[in-house]
Amino acid sequence: MQINPIRHVAFVVLWFVAGGIADRLAADAPQSPPAPEWPALESAASGGATRHEALLAVAQDAAAPAHVRALALLGAAQTAGSAEEAAALWDRLAADATAPQGYRDEARRRMAGAQRPAQELPAGDGVEYRTALPVLPDPGAVLHVAPHGDDAAGGGEAAPLATLAGARNAVRKLRADNGGALPAGGVRIIIHGGTYSSSETFTLTAEDSGTAAAPIVYEAAPGETPILTGGVRIDSWRPVSDASIKERLAAAVRDRVREADLTALGVRDFGDATDLRCVPELFIDGVPQTLARWPDEGFVTTGEILGTDTFTVWGSIPGCRDGKFRYVEERPGTWVDEPDVRLYGYWFWDWYEEFQQVAGIDADARVFTLAKPYSHYGYRTGQRYRAVNVLRELDCVGEWYLDRQRGRLYWLPPEGEAWTQATATVSVFALPFVAWDNAEHVILAGLTIEDGRGDGIHVRGGAHCVIAGCTLQRLGGDAVVVQGGRQHTVFGCTMHTLGCGGARVAGGDRATLSAAGHVIENCFVADIARLKRTYAPAVHLDGCGNRIAHNHFERIPSSAMRVEGNDHLIELNVIRHVVQESDDQGGIDMFGNPLYRGVVIRWNRWSDITGGTHCGAAGVRLDDMISGVTVHGNVFERCGAVLFGGVQIHGGKENVVDNNLFVDCFAGISFSRWGENRWREGIAKFLPQAGTVPYIERYPELARLTDDADINWVTRNVFVRCGELFLRDGGIQRAALNATVAGAFDERVMTDAAAIAGDPRLGATLAAPIPLDAIGPYAHPWRAATSNVLQGVR
């Protein structure tokens, strides 16, 4: 996680600018796209019978910018008189080293698409954008694992093993008995349905590797659901027995609250109320219950800040580093006998939150004194917070509290008797369920991992491993963590109800710009970041040369994706209803390094991302110097708020926002410009690396890194009923072939080249089709079921 106060200059500069936000927007937000960069291109694209020749003339004009020549060449190919002429023009563009990479890639796709009919392939079936998963050979040996098994057994279907570790050991013995080699076709471990209680991590190392021809496959038995659980069932509840506890409960509920003795269930580690990966949780029929809190919904705000270690940010925002502040409401004054009150808050910025432990409550003065360590950024007045782990606030159905001194868990069930039939589980296991270290050619398929305090699966190093069709749910940490290695794939997994994020994947070498080739594809991730509300996205991607594709992400308090590094591809994902609580974030967020180049964000659908408080929320947010990113062929529906559009660019340059569809957005594209001086100051520390091999070879534009601050290319976009088109662009952006639509619009027009060309509102954009039907997850035998978590998904 990268955290740096400078990232929020947007917040400060835009909020505290003289004259206020409203005046700034009125003066600096044009109602239509700026004047085109090259009028001759616009004229040629909208021309009649001589359109093709006019576009060729622009393409051959040495005085025209490279972007303009490339667009003209694409248009000339579209209007060519024959397939042969079009192919020749596409080939010419694809080979033009001066043309932007995105347009060269489009030319290659067009050529490939034109060849499909001759190859008797359907046009645009989307299969070409799917990861090729390994084709499994017939195994040379098969082992079985079942809950009723015995690790001393032979491992046959009639005499199954009991654990995954037992199966691993059997494979090791099989290899040793075979002279160190696996049997032809590898080994298949069939894991039968039922519950497997986890008390230690299932580990694999390099010695447990397979090969491409002989993989090691751990898979669920067909039609069965093996579950690795880190929880303990609570089978009996009773009324509260301790009078002193009962007296502290609200009179209206004290006779309804129930207790369970965890020590009687063998639980000895009660963890911590808010320390990540140590937090026990209570689940009733799989639904997380609420740690007793106040207020019951939403937040209250801090009163006067009383700390003495004061400071001022940007000369305008006062704060203090030590945690002491006045609370406004009366209620906290009743908690003076509570042993371990925790406060969760956005203490200084609305994009970063932390839990804080209360050291003391002065009920007469209405003052909280917090324990060290204090919040990373300090504290200020008027910020959102709430209290948790407060027994006296156990007053709403579904709230619970753990008395760690006595090992007693208290819970307020619904009225009636139906709850007595519900399954109650408390999470106990705090380690990763699965950990692979330098393993290769191992596949884990079809397992459910649930009810843990920590992470689900860790993969470090190694190569060519696949995690497929797994369901990871009700965990306190991240679902899957991949660190290093090459060509690992997380495919078709469902990850939901998580304390932190979905997948954290890092791989590739940024020093040499060597790609890792990791893939996160066809997954569904929702209802995450429950305990760590910011910087815990559905996918955190780092390194070089990795891919996020065909996933569905929704219901997340902050960003769905955090991307760092180079040459990543983010395509064909559905992202909706994210940035629901934090501020100054995007559905995808990149931050802080002008050398994070070569990232392509294409053909994704961003919907209903309208949160934020002071700055807002965007679909795609390129923050603090992010440059050289291509945003192509996306659909932005109802995105942007406050100061942000569907795409927000903060202090970056040479980004290409091309061929996107913006529908009913607060604004299409917004900019927070830095100016030449600040840009040069910001990039100074990156200049030495920018001039090194391989950076200067891979990205030759880095030779001009110090020049042309804030200038980006915005081309071939269609804006439909957007409140604004460009916000704060300063009249310096390079625009070409953009179109606006005020009335009804059928987005399916954008799927077909002929329909685009035939629409008088769009024909002059030279836009390429957007593969709408290929966006999002697709059916596959290795994809986990999602029916239980797909509320409202189209």
Side-chain angles (χ1 to χ4, degrees):
M1 178 173 63
Q2 284 185 311
I3 305 168
N4 190 317
I6 199 170
R7 68 186 295 281
H8 282 274
V9 176
F11 174 87
V12 177
V13 171
L14 296 178
W15 191 14
F16 291 97
V17 64
I21 293 174
D23 291 344
R24 173 66 175 266
L25 294 183
D28 201 20
Q31 297 297 311
S32 60
E37 172 67 16
W38 204 257
L41 174 62
E42 313 285 325
S43 177
S46 58
T50 61
R51 187 183 186 200
H52 177 68
E53 290 74 17
L55 287 166
L56 276 177
V58 175
Q60 295 166 355
D61 186 349
H67 285 76
V68 168
R69 294 197 306 271
L71 286 169
L73 205 52
L74 283 172
Q78 292 177 33
T79 57
S82 68
E84 292 75 15
E85 182 183 9
L89 292 170
W90 284 324
D91 187 63
R92 173 179 156 189
L93 175 56
D96 184 356
T98 68
Q101 188 63 50
Y103 300 136
R104 296 169 65 189
D105 290 343
E106 181 178 332
R108 295 188 186 97
R109 290 195 300 272
R110 295 274 191 141
M111 284 191 291
Q115 293 167 1
R116 292 181 71 83
Q119 298 168 346
E120 298 183 352
L121 295 172
D125 61 1
V127 173
E128 64 270 32
Y129 304 122
R130 298 178 184 177
T131 291
L133 294 169
V135 176
L136 300 183
D138 291 334
V142 176
L143 298 170
H144 291 262
V145 177
H148 63 274
D150 184 343
D151 281 346
E157 188 168 8
L161 302 162
T163 66
L164 296 181
R168 174 204 61 204
N169 295 339
V171 174
R172 288 177 178 175
K173 183 177 186 304
L174 182 66
R175 192 195 303 261
D177 292 345
N178 196 35
L182 291 169
V187 182
R188 193 79 53 89
I189 297 96
I190 307 298
I191 309 166
H192 291 274
T195 299
Y196 300 80
S197 182
S198 293
S199 58
E200 61 181 22
T201 301
F202 168 53
T203 60
L204 296 179
T205 64
E207 69 172 311
D208 302 303
S209 297
T211 66
I216 308 296
V217 180
Y218 295 82
E219 67 172 2
E224 300 184 35
T225 304
I227 299 172
L228 306 186
T229 181
V232 171
R233 288 276 296 272
I234 298 175
D235 292 321
S236 63
W237 296 93
R238 64 187 183 191
V240 177
S241 57
D242 188 321
S244 65
I245 294 293
K246 194 170 184 178
E247 183 276 332
R248 290 162 60 190
L249 297 171
V253 301
R254 60 179 53 145
D255 290 331
R256 291 171 44 209
V257 172
R258 293 295 181 263
E259 72 172 37
D261 185 351
L262 296 188
T263 59
L265 297 174
V267 178
R268 297 293 181 267
D269 180 1
F270 301 122
D272 185 85
T274 58
D275 189 12
L276 290 177
R277 298 174 179 84
C278 297
V279 177
E281 292 193 87
L282 175 65
F283 303 100
I284 304 295
D285 283 341
V287 177
Q289 304 299 281
T290 302
L291 186 60
R293 57 165 284 180
W294 173 86
D296 293 324
E297 298 288 340
F299 296 89
V300 292
T301 57
T302 55
E304 180 185 3
I305 300 299
L306 302 174
T308 57
D309 186 3
T310 60
F311 62 90
T312 301
V313 175
W314 310 114
S316 306
I317 310 176
C320 73
R321 296 179 181 87
D322 46 334
K324 188 173 185 179
F325 67 92
R326 207 178 300 279
Y327 56 83
V328 178
E329 299 79 6
E330 294 182 3
R331 187 64 184 173
T334 66
W335 306 338
V336 291
D337 58 349
E338 291 284 347
D340 192 15
V341 176
R342 307 292 176 95
L343 303 183
Y344 162 86
Y346 291 83
W347 299 110
F348 202 94
W349 304 111
D350 280 359
W351 44 265
Y352 182 72
E353 40 64 65
E354 286 176 287
F355 281 104
Q356 300 280 272
Q357 188 169 14
V358 174
I361 301 173
D362 185 333
D364 294 331
R366 294 191 182 184
V367 171
F368 279 126
T369 300
L370 305 182
K372 294 181 179 179
Y374 297 134
S375 179
H376 183 82
Y377 291 111
Y379 309 85
R380 63 188 175 105
T381 302
Q383 288 298 112
R384 297 176 291 169
Y385 79 97
R386 60 176 173 247
V388 299
N389 202 43
V390 185
L391 175 63
R392 289 186 180 276
E393 299 304 325
L394 202 166
D395 55 5
C396 286
V397 169
E399 287 190 324
W400 70 284
Y401 177 84
L402 176 57
D403 182 339
R404 288 176 168 77
Q405 291 183 336
R406 298 177 175 87
R408 303 290 175 86
L409 188 151
Y410 303 97
W411 173 57
L412 179 57
E415 295 191 66
E417 297 298 319
W419 66 268
T420 59
Q421 304 303 311
T423 299
T425 306
V426 61
S427 58
V428 174
F429 187 56
L431 298 175
F433 287 74
V434 175
W436 299 346
D437 191 352
N438 289 312
E440 298 191 5
H441 294 287
V442 176
I443 296 172
L444 182 72
L447 272 67
T448 293
I449 297 176
E450 65 185 28
D451 298 338
R453 297 180 187 177
D455 299 335
I457 299 173
H458 281 191
V459 178
R460 190 182 73 83
H464 304 288
C465 291
V466 179
I467 300 165
C470 292
T471 297
L472 299 107
Q473 59 190 7
R474 304 194 297 276
L475 303 175
D478 298 309
V480 179
V481 179
V482 177
Q483 184 66 43
R486 296 175 291 108
Q487 294 183 294
H488 295 312
T489 299
V490 180
F491 181 89
C493 293
T494 292
M495 312 175 212
H496 72 95
T497 317
L498 304 172
C500 294
R504 299 184 69 89
V505 177
D509 188 347
R510 288 198 63 241
T512 62
L513 294 180
S514 301
H518 297 325
V519 175
I520 307 96
E521 182 164 326
N522 213 26
C523 297
F524 178 83
V525 186
D527 299 316
I528 63 171
R530 297 175 45 257
L531 304 176
K532 177 67 181 117
R533 305 287 285 175
T534 61
Y535 300 98
V539 178
H540 184 286
L541 189 64
D542 199 356
C544 183
N546 302 299
R547 180 170 178 261
I548 305 171
H550 285 293
N551 303 288
H552 185 122
F553 306 138
E554 71 166 41
R555 303 195 299 271
I556 302 173
S558 193
S559 297
M561 287 175 277
R562 178 83 173 179
V563 173
E564 301 176 73
N566 295 72
D567 300 338
H568 301 304
L569 179 59
I570 295 91
E571 64 177 353
L572 298 160
N573 301 285
V574 172
I575 307 96
R576 68 179 202 171
H577 298 295
V578 301
V579 196
Q580 293 183 304
E581 183 175 288
S582 66
D583 183 47
D584 201 13
Q585 301 288 318
I588 187 172
D589 222 86
M590 296 182 66
F591 161 70
N593 191 328
L595 305 186
Y596 283 175
R597 292 183 175 247
V599 174
V600 176
I601 303 168
R602 71 181 183 189
W603 302 329
N604 304 283
R605 184 184 289 273
W606 314 82
S607 303
D608 299 294
I609 304 174
T610 59
T613 54
H614 300 293
C615 289
V620 171
R621 180 168 173 270
L622 308 179
D623 192 17
D624 273 25
M625 300 180 287
I626 294 297
S627 303
V629 172
T630 297
V631 182
H632 170 86
N634 298 271
V635 178
F636 297 91
E637 304 169 303
R638 300 172 299 279
C639 289
V642 191
L643 298 174
F644 288 177
V647 175
Q648 156 69 6
I649 300 174
H650 182 206
K653 70 165 192 162
E654 296 169 339
N655 298 295
V656 178
V657 183
D658 174 66
N659 209 104
N660 302 285
L661 174 63
F662 297 85
V663 181
D664 295 324
C665 291
F666 169 76
I669 308 168
S670 56
F671 304 85
S672 302
R673 306 184 310 278
W674 277 23
E676 294 287 347
N677 290 338
R678 183 177 169 203
W679 169 255
R680 294 185 180 188
E681 291 173 0
I683 66 170
K685 66 181 179 180
F686 300 101
L687 289 175
Q689 185 179 10
T692 63
V693 175
Y695 276 80
I696 196 66
E697 293 180 347
R698 181 77 57 88
Y699 318 114
E701 66 274 14
L702 288 176
R704 305 180 302 278
L705 182 59
T706 58
D707 303 331
D708 300 324
D710 298 315
I711 296 178
N712 303 275
W713 281 86
V714 185
T715 59
R716 299 191 299 174
N717 299 287
V718 178
F719 301 91
V720 180
R721 301 185 302 271
C722 293
E724 302 284 352
L725 304 186
F726 284 29
L727 283 180
R728 304 179 304 279
D729 72 297
I732 64 172
Q733 307 305 322
R734 305 292 192 253
L737 305 176
N738 298 291
T740 61
V741 176
F745 184 80
D746 182 359
E747 67 176 26
R748 302 226 28 105
V749 170
M750 299 299 295
T751 65
D752 182 71
I756 294 170
D759 190 317
R761 301 168 297 180
L762 308 180
T765 63
L766 305 180
I770 300 174
L772 295 179
D773 294 332
I775 295 176
Y778 54 89
H780 192 280
W782 285 13
R783 186 176 177 225
T786 56
S787 59
N788 59 329
V789 288
L790 280 171
Q791 300 102 330
V793 173
R794 290 194 296 266

